[in-house]
Amino acid sequence: MEGQSLIVYYSWTGNTSSVAEEIRAQTGFSVERIEEVKPRPFGSLPWAALGAWLGLKSDIKPLTEPLASYDNLFLGIQVWAGKSTPAINAFLNRESFKNKKVWVFMTMADNVPSQKVMESVRRRIEKKGGTVVDTIGFMSKVLAAVGDEHRAAQVLSRDEIREPLENWLRKNQII
């Protein structure tokens, strides 16, 4: 693949981080984590989901490396309440994707990738000059419910995502 490539992701429970790290292991690309200025406590899931559902943006820290230095971007997102997270909303609003090829990987608690979320992310990237090449989704493990809160008690293991991710990267001629 031509040009410089970067993996950028937001992960609250660790699932999207697992996918990002497996992409890094298979490609050797640099990785940047999108971080909220004020760390989000895990017990705030209902408020987090409401913020996503309302399309809110959170304050995020600047990336270490400017996106302008890269031609290819692998963007990791989570889905909350059928929407993109406030951190991803802020990232998509703030960054320019001009002349960038973007591959989106998504983690969600549902076993069907959210086409609405993918299309929303695609439109926002394309509006800012980028091209979404392909997408892939991974189902997170929601193992316990405490009141109205679901807890991802076990993070996706790299063994679970290695083969489908390798197939996706090969299909896109990345590896």
Side-chain angles (χ1 to χ4, degrees):
M1 179 168 39
E2 289 184 28
Q4 295 293 316
S5 300
L6 178 67
I7 304 161
V8 177
Y9 70 95
Y10 173 74
S11 186
W12 189 31
T13 60
N15 288 301
T16 313
S17 179
S18 289
V19 178
E21 287 302 322
E22 183 58 28
I23 293 172
R24 183 199 54 74
Q26 291 191 31
T27 64
F29 299 154
S30 298
V31 176
E32 285 261 2
R33 183 179 185 131
I34 298 168
E35 293 185 56
E36 293 177 294
V37 171
K38 182 179 176 186
R40 187 178 295 274
F42 190 75
S44 66
L45 185 59
W47 291 112
L50 180 62
W53 190 75
L54 293 172
L56 300 180
K57 299 173 193 74
S58 56
D59 290 330
I60 58 174
K61 297 176 182 178
L63 297 177
T64 307
E65 293 285 326
L67 285 189
S69 305
Y70 296 91
D71 305 297
N72 307 300
L73 181 67
F74 292 79
L75 178 60
I77 67 173
Q78 289 180 290
V79 176
W80 297 348
K83 305 284 185 175
S84 54
T85 64
I88 290 297
N89 293 337
F91 179 78
L92 293 172
N93 186 61
R94 179 173 79 188
E95 299 294 338
S96 170
F97 299 95
K98 187 175 182 181
N99 300 322
K100 303 223 178 310
K101 291 181 183 176
V102 183
W103 288 262
V104 180
F105 58 98
M106 172 174 72
T107 60
M108 64 268 163
D110 196 350
N111 64 354
V112 178
S114 174
Q115 286 306 114
K116 287 183 180 180
V117 174
M118 288 291 196
E119 285 308 310
S120 170
V121 169
R122 178 187 307 275
R123 278 191 309 275
R124 290 183 275 173
I125 289 170
E126 289 176 353
K127 184 177 180 182
K128 296 187 112 191
T131 301
V132 175
V133 178
D134 201 5
T135 61
I136 189 171
F138 292 91
M139 190 173 89
S140 308
K141 295 177 186 177
V142 177
L143 298 178
V146 180
D148 291 334
E149 181 179 335
H150 295 280
R151 293 187 182 265
Q154 185 178 358
V155 174
L156 288 169
S157 75
R158 289 177 62 187
D159 287 339
E160 294 173 283
I161 58 179
R162 184 172 290 120
E163 187 177 336
L165 194 53
E166 182 178 342
N167 292 338
W168 183 66
L169 293 169
R170 285 190 191 288
K171 177 184 100 173
N172 283 281
Q173 300 179 342
I174 294 162
I175 58 171

